[in-house]
Amino acid sequence: MGALMVIFSLQPKQRRKPTDSVEDELELSAVRHRPEGLGQLEAQTRFSRKELQILYRGFKNECPSGIVNEETFKDIYAQFFPQGDASTYAHFLFNAFDTDHNGSVSFEDFVMGLSILLRGTIQEKLKWAFNLYDINKDGYITKEEMLDIMKAIYDMMGKCTYPVLKEETPRQHVEVFFQKMDKNKDGVVTIDEFIDCCQNDENIMRSMHLFENVL
Amino acid sequence: MAAGVAAWLPFARAAAIGWMPVAGAPMPAPPRDKRKGQDGLLLLNVSGTRFQTWRTTLERYPDTLLGSSEKDFFFHEESREYFFDRDPDIFRHILNFYRTGKLHYPRQECISAYDEELAFFGIIPEIIGDCCYEEYKDRRRENAERLQDDEEMDGEGGGGGGGGDGPPVKLTAREYLWRAFENPHTSTLALVFYYVTGFFIAVSVMANVVETVPCGAPAGRADKEEVSCGDRYALAFFCLDTACVMIFTVEYLLRLAAAPSRYKFAKSVMSVIDVVAIMPYYIGLVMTDNDQVSGAFVTLRVFRVFRIFKFSRHSAGLRILGYTLKSCASELGFLLFSLTMAIIIFATVMFYAEKGSAASKFTSIPAAFWYTIVTMTTLGYGDMVPKTIVGKVFGSICSLSGVLVIALPVPVIVSNFSRIYHQSQRAEKRRAQRRSGSGENSARYMRSKQNGLPIDSLEEEAGQALVGKSASPPFESQHHHLLHCLEKTTNHEFVDEQTFQANCMEISVIKRSGSRTSSPSSSPSPPRGLGSCCSRRHRKKNGFGLPSANNQELSTIRIPERPVANSRSSLNAKLDETMPLKCDEAFGGPRMVSLAAPPPTSPEGDASSAAAPAYSRSNIVRVSAL
């Protein structure tokens, strides 16, 4: 473990990737990204040293180059949901994790995201979820955005479901969602409406605590 | 990339929080992670070579020895390590499998040693990565062929040399006779018979040959015409021939009587040769000295030369040659075909080239065939030679190409012959060894090897059962919890292909009957205890379905044990499901989730669906082949 600490602290530099995705592919194979030091990450996230080590070991094993690009993300997610098509949802998820929008998820992004999801307060988790739904990150969730997200989630179920998935099921689900969330009926959901509504809903509150012991 | 899946699972589960605000229904409880904080380094001591790895690395594949609690049997208390008395070089590859998820086959290792190690550690060889799979399969096939040959040799020689070992088998006279014929070394009588027949074959062939030698004019004939010895000493030769044929006939009849399967024996090549060898004599006896048929009779005598083929029973080399030619049939066929093509082409060319010259021997294309063959095989008799310049040019091209065409398939035949010959030599040596007294040991060893196999398979089964009864691999249960959360979010459930098809059909039936047309709603509707008989039957039928054996890694099967009247959608001729599902059962371990790897086949799936009913607490037990 001491060696790991030494290695981690010896590599303070990060390399930023250009936003061009083609060059990304080329550079991915050539350049290796090293994360910030273990101490820094420990300060920035709510994980302990040991947890960060475990996380990094898994991450590095899968992505020796140190970063994940969207294709890999989609592949990984597809393996968890083989019956359906997880690529759209993985795309939205990727955008949610890629906080600096440089087209790739580094270990820091990954761990920050996980820290919020697993160890964050309810507010933070809800804010993260809102960020996920808000595709264009303008602060409002419109019905179209929600429909996209809903379709992506339903896509993951695949075709063989019971009861059989109908075309209007995602749309109906969106209607239900908006009915619940959109208090002032202006057709969009703002972050405050969202957080308020979720905090009043017992089911959602309970389920937010669900994955706290994942790591 | 099963290792990868396990590594990303925490991330996928965390990301599931994104569904929570959308879900209308409460989420199921997560599986209890029983072993928190148990990640640590394990020390594996394999015959002195120490390997270390994380505990979680090994637990990626819980249906193997190292991934399950089976390794506790090898835990050495004093040194606090797991000790395995196995080959460390091969173990390196096995451990790498856990680390990288890919199993490689090292070329320098012996295939059977490798297979044994894999079997010991409970890893199925089918998951060998693409990079090494070809090599592995080739080596395996080679080994299997060699084993098969050995078994055949054993079967032949074991009967001869292993007579001292196992319990004395009482042979009937027929079996004894057959064995004496097939293995002349079994008894002195058989050996004597073997040599006598050999001698008579030689005598008969020599007689046929000498018969035709001119012997000088017989005394008392005026015209001083030379006759062959056969005509001069006709009676002597006839007596000799009779004697030989007697012996051959007796031998053939005895073999036919002793053969375990007479029909098979009669069909075999050797018996055909036997028949052909003795037939001319009998036909000659039957036929009178008729002028018309005597010509045909003379032709029949040619068949007497086939007696020489009877020597193949006495000579292994001859048999090998015959076997080689048989196995190289395709190469020989190709050789023949290409030669024929070339002959026709060149004969045509030569004919037209020599057409102009006077007194040309190339009178027709078939006549030119003879020239072409003689030239292509570089014989060059010289009875037909081209006279024109053009003819000579093409003639030289013909002879050059002949060399090439013939030289091409020959090395293939040669290599085949050499391989078969060496194999048979090896078998001969081993047979000689066994006869000389080490037969007992090797036979006992063979028997113990055979006995060992059932024990190995028993071990594996026991191991699987062991895994089946132990706690579920946490990775599996967590993954199922994740899927279950998705189901709850969308208010739809995963079903397997068959159920889905059946559902579609039922829906269309119901729609047609017009009983129910309400669309599925996502809110729970009042319970309907409508279990129509066909739906119940339908349910039960799909209850114990096997996982679909296609490349889909996940197929969920529902086994409803106790239906609860809490239907979800009103399009519900089916029985209602939806109850607190508990995804905590075990089955045949994680599969290779990577889409590229060859999928494991359903024997493991069978074991899993058998284990599923044991968990009767859950109302719907999901058996997934992940």
Side-chain angles (χ1 to χ4, degrees), chain B residues 313-329:
Chain B
R313 275 210 185 91
H314 299 248
S315 157
L318 215 58
R319 270 202 302 271
I320 291 171
L321 189 62
Y323 185 66
T324 309
L325 290 176
K326 199 167 60 162
S327 70
C328 301

Side-chain angles (χ1 to χ4, degrees), chain B residues 153-467:
Chain B
M153 303 296 181
D154 279 347
E156 288 174 20
D165 294 294
V169 180
K170 293 208 70 171
L171 297 169
T172 64
R174 177 173 165 180
E175 285 172 359
Y176 184 76
L177 202 58
W178 178 249
R179 223 181 60 170
F181 274 129
E182 291 299 301
N183 304 306
H185 309 282
T186 46
S187 70
T188 346
L189 188 61
L191 209 58
V192 163
F193 189 73
Y194 175 76
Y195 282 127
V196 161
T197 42
F199 174 71
F200 271 98
I201 295 173
V203 161
S204 156
V205 169
M206 287 304 299
N208 285 346
V209 166
V210 169
E211 233 175 28
T212 57
V213 170
C215 249
R221 274 190 67 137
D223 46 7
K224 290 223 177 7
E225 198 185 281
E226 279 226 353
V227 290
S228 62
C229 287
D231 289 337
R232 188 158 166 187
Y233 302 103
L235 193 59
F237 278 108
F238 181 73
C239 292
L240 196 58
D241 207 22
T242 312
C244 292
V245 171
M246 275 304 117
I247 305 267
F248 297 154
T249 316
V250 162
E251 184 205 353
Y252 180 71
L253 288 175
L254 278 180
R255 274 184 203 264
L256 192 62
S261 157
R262 298 215 172 102
Y263 179 61
K264 206 168 86 155
F265 173 73
K267 272 198 308 183
S268 72
V269 176
M270 290 309 302
S271 89
V272 166
I273 291 177
D274 287 340
V275 168
V276 167
I278 58 180
M279 265 306 122
Y281 178 80
Y282 288 111
I283 294 179
L285 277 188
V286 165
M287 282 202 301
T288 59
D289 225 339
N290 199 344
D291 263 338
Q292 281 126 342
V293 287
S294 71
F297 171 61
V298 164
T299 323
L300 271 181
R301 287 179 123 200
V302 168
F303 284 99
R304 288 188 302 173
V305 81
F306 275 87
R307 285 176 198 165
I308 206 167
F309 282 116
K310 287 164 71 74
F311 264 130
S312 62
R313 275 210 185 91
H314 299 248
S315 157
L318 215 58
R319 270 202 302 271
I320 291 171
L321 189 62
Y323 185 66
T324 309
L325 290 176
K326 199 167 60 162
S327 70
C328 301
S330 65
E331 279 83 23
L332 286 174
F334 166 69
L335 174 63
L336 212 60
F337 176 66
S338 58
L339 264 180
T340 314
M341 259 180 29
I343 286 171
I344 294 178
I345 291 173
F346 278 108
T348 313
V349 167
M350 291 305 296
F351 171 71
Y352 283 113
E354 286 288 304
K355 202 157 185 224
S357 89
S360 151
K361 290 230 172 77
F362 294 79
T363 50
S364 66
I365 295 185
F369 281 169
W370 174 244
Y371 168 76
T372 320
I373 293 174
V374 163
T375 313
M376 281 186 92
T377 51
T378 69
L379 278 175
Y381 287 134
D383 53 349
M384 274 165 90
V385 285
K387 298 222 168 45
T388 60
I389 308 262
V390 180
K392 285 186 179 159
V393 163
F394 280 111
S396 38
I397 297 178
C398 175
S399 72
L400 287 174
S401 66
V403 169
L404 277 177
V405 166
I406 292 185
L408 284 177
V410 167
V412 177
I413 301 175
V414 166
S415 78
N416 265 3
F417 180 78
S418 138
R419 178 174 62 92
I420 297 171
Y421 180 69
H422 283 310
Q423 254 182 0
S424 90
Q425 274 211 321
R426 219 171 5 111
E428 279 291 331
K429 236 186 281 179
R430 208 165 329 116
R431 225 182 303 183
Q433 241 186 7
R434 201 174 298 146
R435 243 179 284 131
S436 71
S438 58
E440 281 213 17
N441 296 337
S442 52
R444 216 180 292 135
Y445 166 69
M446 301 279 184
R447 242 180 306 132
S448 74
K449 217 169 47 163
Q450 279 181 339
N451 284 339
L453 279 177
I455 290 180
D456 280 354
S457 60
L458 255 176
E459 253 182 30
E460 273 214 341
E461 280 180 77
Q464 275 210 348
L466 190 82
V467 170

Side-chain angles (χ1 to χ4, degrees), chain A residues 3 9 45 53 82 105 121 134 174:
Chain A
S9 51
T45 66
Q53 282 175 354
V105 169
T121 65
D134 186 10
V174 171

